[in-house]
Amino acid sequence: MVQPDAELQRTWRHRIKEAEAYLAQDHFERALEQARLAAEIAQSIGNIGPLKRTAAILQKLSDWEAHARMFARIERLREPSGPVEWDGSHVRTLVVTERNNEHIGRPIRFARLLRQAASRVDKCIVLAERRLISLFRRSFPGIEIRALDQATSTIEAADAIAGYQTLITLFGRSDEEILAGFRSLVAEPNQIHEMRKRYLPGPLIGISWGSTNTRKSLPTLIEWARSMSAIPATYVSLQYGDVDADIEEFAKSGVNIVRDKTVDAFNDIDALAAQISAMDTVVSVSNTTVHLAGALGVETYVVVDVDRNLSLIWPLEGTTVPWYPSISLIRKDGSSWPQTMMRLQNTLRDRFADGERSADRV
């Protein structure tokens, strides 16, 4: 007789393979149906492997709540001890922490849920990477922001704990709920003002063209330059890393990019947030800069090739994503990168068709 656990594993494998097959054929509704069935079985199995594989499919299909529920379970399996997982009810002290620190984009994306969490408890404490502390403290007055190295003592004194995935299951269950709860992060106003004065005249267009994920398909620098050269603007580099050689390549193609060396785009997130907020528009590939621009509510165009093998938050269809109302997707979707970048060029040409110049706002 087949043991129940073996039967569950076999049924789960069948469902997840069905979901992946439908996804490969662009049958998204059928894929989602099978993925949700696989999710129920994976929860019963209770092993990280099936949970993680199923969650990846659910994220690709933009089922934010189900994806978050799976990852909340994974996080609890990885760290079973500690305070109870918060269920949204009133407690005296709630600690919110990012349990998976692989990508700074995750707390940036989900931080807007902190306001809703704090409204239900007496005290909300958020454990954050040091690069985010200043930005989060300014953006969330009334919420205590502490460094991750204080995690042990902070969590021990808490009544309940919540990862960001848990907050999604409570406050981000649908596109409509996610959109309704959007509040932007807040960059430092004086920094924004000074940067705009430094970079004008405009329009000011921030540009980021690279990613640390080497598996992504990205436009070449030449393709970026062709697109940008047709739009009269001041281009400002928002790209992290050593970009001097890239900026020289842009200059050879006739495109001059301002690189503000007072901004360390990787280590000084607060300064990067101000720089992004100083822009009229941001254009970028999918990377951390995009997450920050979207969380700040800055108009942003993302050129993206949605590879089904990558774990990206961008929906498989459409040009918008509910987490970031100010972001528009310029999809490659089977066309060439030159064709895709031409669409970006046309979008920017329409955006600044009247020769709009930047006002010294803030």
Side-chain angles (χ1 to χ4, degrees):
M1 182 175 179
V2 178
Q3 294 298 314
D5 285 351
E7 182 67 32
L8 282 174
Q9 288 275 2
R10 187 166 62 192
T11 305
W12 171 79
R13 280 195 294 270
H14 171 73
R15 294 296 185 189
I16 202 67
K17 286 180 179 178
E18 286 282 298
E20 290 168 344
Y22 281 131
L23 181 61
Q25 298 165 25
D26 290 347
H27 296 321
F28 301 138
E29 290 185 7
R30 292 179 181 177
L32 183 57
E33 178 184 0
Q34 293 300 314
R36 285 173 173 168
L37 291 171
E40 292 178 13
I41 301 167
Q43 291 278 18
S44 298
I45 294 171
N47 293 336
I48 288 178
L51 288 166
K52 196 170 182 179
R53 184 171 169 183
T54 309
I57 297 293
L58 291 166
Q59 177 172 271
K60 288 178 173 67
L61 294 165
S62 301
D63 190 335
W64 313 112
E65 181 187 12
H67 169 265
R69 199 173 299 281
M70 303 292 282
F71 255 95
R73 179 75 182 280
I74 291 169
E75 289 169 345
R76 181 52 77 172
L77 286 171
R78 285 172 172 164
E79 297 181 29
S81 61
V84 297
E85 195 74 20
W86 189 49
D87 63 2
S89 61
H90 176 266
V91 294
R92 287 173 299 175
T93 304
L94 170 68
V95 172
V96 179
T97 183
E98 170 59 39
R99 293 178 174 133
N100 180 351
N101 298 310
E102 295 176 1
H103 197 300
I104 200 172
R106 282 179 51 168
I108 289 172
R109 179 162 75 252
F110 301 138
R112 95 281 273 286
L113 303 172
L114 295 173
R115 294 183 180 88
Q116 290 156 289
S119 70
R120 295 193 181 186
V121 302
D122 291 340
K123 184 176 184 178
C124 181
I125 302 172
V126 176
L127 294 167
E129 185 181 326
R130 288 194 176 276
R131 289 183 293 171
L132 295 173
I133 288 177
S134 294
L135 179 62
F136 277 18
R137 283 178 176 166
R138 185 183 311 106
S139 301
F140 306 109
I143 297 177
E144 186 175 342
I145 312 296
R146 298 183 186 176
L148 280 169
D149 57 20
Q150 300 179 50
T152 301
S153 59
T154 300
I155 291 172
E156 285 175 351
D159 297 302
I161 189 171
Y164 285 102
Q165 303 292 352
T166 296
L167 299 189
I168 297 170
T169 67
L170 297 168
F171 309 117
R173 291 164 293 197
S174 67
D175 286 5
E176 293 76 19
E177 192 171 69
I178 293 166
L179 280 167
F182 181 77
R183 300 291 184 278
S184 63
L185 298 179
V186 180
E188 208 288 310
N190 290 329
Q191 273 192 301
I192 299 171
H193 180 80
E194 289 304 314
M195 286 176 175
R196 285 189 67 81
K197 286 201 303 184
R198 194 183 312 160
Y199 304 146
L200 286 171
L204 300 182
I205 300 179
I207 175 172
S208 180
W209 56 88
S211 171
T212 56
N213 188 336
T214 57
R215 295 173 60 198
K216 292 177 185 175
S217 170
L218 303 176
T220 65
L221 295 183
I222 291 175
E223 287 159 353
W224 272 108
R226 285 173 182 162
S227 178
M228 297 157 57
S229 61
I231 310 299
T234 297
Y235 288 98
V236 179
S237 171
L238 305 177
Q239 181 63 48
Y240 45 81
D242 184 1
V243 298
D244 285 345
D246 288 352
I247 289 178
E248 286 181 11
E249 285 300 311
F250 278 121
K252 290 176 183 176
S253 299
V255 176
N256 294 316
I257 298 179
V258 175
R259 185 188 178 194
D260 188 341
K261 294 192 175 182
T262 68
V263 178
D264 182 342
F266 184 81
N267 293 304
D268 193 348
I269 296 296
D270 210 32
L272 177 60
Q275 189 179 41
I276 290 170
S277 297
M279 300 297 106
D280 295 304
T281 297
V282 170
V283 294
S284 180
V285 298
S286 176
N287 58 20
T288 300
T289 298
V290 162
H291 291 291
L292 188 53
L296 290 162
V298 175
E299 177 185 78
T300 302
Y301 298 97
V302 186
V303 291
V304 61
D305 182 12
V306 180
D307 185 337
R308 307 286 169 77
N309 296 314
L310 297 179
S311 179
L312 301 175
I313 70 153
W314 313 119
L316 295 174
E317 295 181 296
T319 60
T320 61
V321 59
W323 293 106
Y324 303 128
S326 65
I327 282 182
S328 299
L329 304 179
I330 309 289
R331 294 180 172 278
K332 186 169 182 281
D333 276 354
S335 60
S336 67
W337 274 123
Q339 290 171 321
T340 306
M341 299 304 285
M342 180 59 70
R343 294 205 307 275
L344 173 64
Q345 181 188 104
N346 292 337
T347 298
L348 292 176
R349 184 181 286 115
D350 291 343
R351 168 70 174 83
F352 298 107
D354 59 358
E356 174 186 329
R357 310 299 282 182
S358 297
D360 190 12
R361 53 177 166 78
V362 179

